[in-house]
Amino acid sequence: DVQLVESGGGLVRTGGSLRLACVASGFIFSDYEMIWVRQAPGKGPEWISFISETGNTMYYGGSVTGRFTISRDNAENSLYLQMNSLRVEDTAVYYCARILGSGNHWGWFDPWGQGTLVTVSS
Amino acid sequence: QSALTQPRSVSGSPGQSVTISCTGTTSDIGTYDYVSWYQQHPGKAPKLIIYDVTERPSGVPDRFSGSKSGNTASLTISGLQAEDETDYYCCAYAGRYTWVFGGGTKLTVL
């Protein structure tokens, strides 16, 4: 089965740091672009970061630029999100997801992990 | 980027059809055909139900269909069933490896 499993969430004070991990199984991880998406309580999802298959290209949403860093270790089938300078508004469930498609048919997410909850408290 | 605009809620009776709209801009839905839809049950991860505007992944019933016109995408669910009652989100590519989601629509089956 194709599966993504996140870990690393928890309770942290404002200004603190956390590192999330996402372990992939059931597919060739190094063949796929990946993203992180978060969802605050009662809100819609928010795309926050993209990484290419090799890890050489990364993009970030405006709300996390300069504070979050995406990375991957293809040998370990793992995706990471280093989160620094955390704010109360970063409180959310964080999901990793695989990007599918190619060429002119591209850009949807499947599967998603089960999510890991990050709570930032002042 | 600003979130895509979806109605907060829609409702329909079993067997009826409902359509959920998703309005973006010329920077996302209006330019790219990379529109997808996700179904999310409470406490669960989003599940892909439509990709490439109109395509259904294997295993998704053909009661679910997607379309797009201009800056607006739509998800239609026909033959409503009780199990369809949950939240739905649209997502669109906005260029330069960025994406934007809708705020979500809660579907109630009366």
Side-chain angles (χ1 to χ4, degrees):
Chain A
D1 278 2
V2 173
Q3 192 173 13
L4 298 169
V5 179
E6 300 97 337
S7 62
L11 175 63
V12 63
R13 295 289 191 188
T14 53
S17 298
L18 276 178
R19 188 191 196 210
L20 306 184
C22 166
V23 177
S25 60
F27 65 99
I28 301 174
F29 180 68
S30 58
D31 283 351
Y32 292 90
E33 300 158 319
M34 299 291 293
I35 60 164
W36 284 98
V37 174
R38 69 184 181 185
Q39 188 170 26
K43 303 293 186 181
E46 176 191 10
W47 168 81
I48 57 172
S49 190
F50 162 94
I51 190 166
S52 63
E53 298 96 319
T54 61
N56 290 339
T57 301
M58 296 86 76
Y59 288 91
Y60 299 93
S63 59
V64 306
T65 297
R67 301 187 299 123
F68 290 12
T69 302
I70 191 171
S71 63
R72 65 191 296 163
D73 183 338
N74 286 342
E76 296 293 328
N77 293 328
S78 294
L79 176 73
Y80 302 101
L81 186 68
Q82 177 66 43
M83 305 186 297
N84 297 332
S85 303
L86 283 162
R87 306 167 180 168
V88 170
E89 54 265 35
D90 293 319
T91 295
V93 175
Y94 285 72
Y95 297 98
C96 60
R98 180 180 66 169
I99 299 176
L100 290 180
S102 62
N104 290 330
H105 302 280
W106 170 86
W108 58 94
F109 314 135
D110 185 58
W112 298 53
Q114 87 286 355
T116 188
L117 176 63
V118 173
T119 303
V120 185
S121 172
S122 57
Chain B
Q1 311 94 334
S2 298
L4 305 173
T5 301
Q6 297 180 234
R8 291 291 296 268
S9 64
V10 297
S11 62
S13 299
Q16 289 186 332
S17 295
V18 295
T19 296
I20 299 172
S21 62
C22 170
T23 302
T25 69
T26 54
S27 297
D28 39 66
I29 294 176
T31 295
Y32 304 99
D33 283 338
Y34 305 153
V35 176
S36 51
W37 289 87
Y38 301 86
Q39 178 189 64
Q40 187 178 32
H41 288 282
K44 301 294 188 182
K47 172 192 170 186
L48 177 71
I49 57 172
I50 294 289
Y51 66 94
D52 251 15
V53 179
T54 62
E55 303 300 308
R56 271 187 321 275
S58 62
V60 174
D62 60 5
R63 304 185 293 103
F64 292 85
S65 63
S67 63
K68 189 187 93 164
S69 177
N71 297 339
T72 299
S74 299
L75 172 71
T76 298
I77 308 170
S78 58
L80 273 177
Q81 299 181 3
E83 68 209 48
D84 300 332
E85 180 167 299
T86 193
D87 296 324
Y88 294 85
Y89 298 95
C90 57
C91 179
Y93 181 65
R96 300 179 70 177
Y97 298 97
T98 66
W99 285 262
V100 61
F101 283 88
T105 298
K106 179 176 179 58
L107 169 63
T108 299
V109 180
L110 302 171

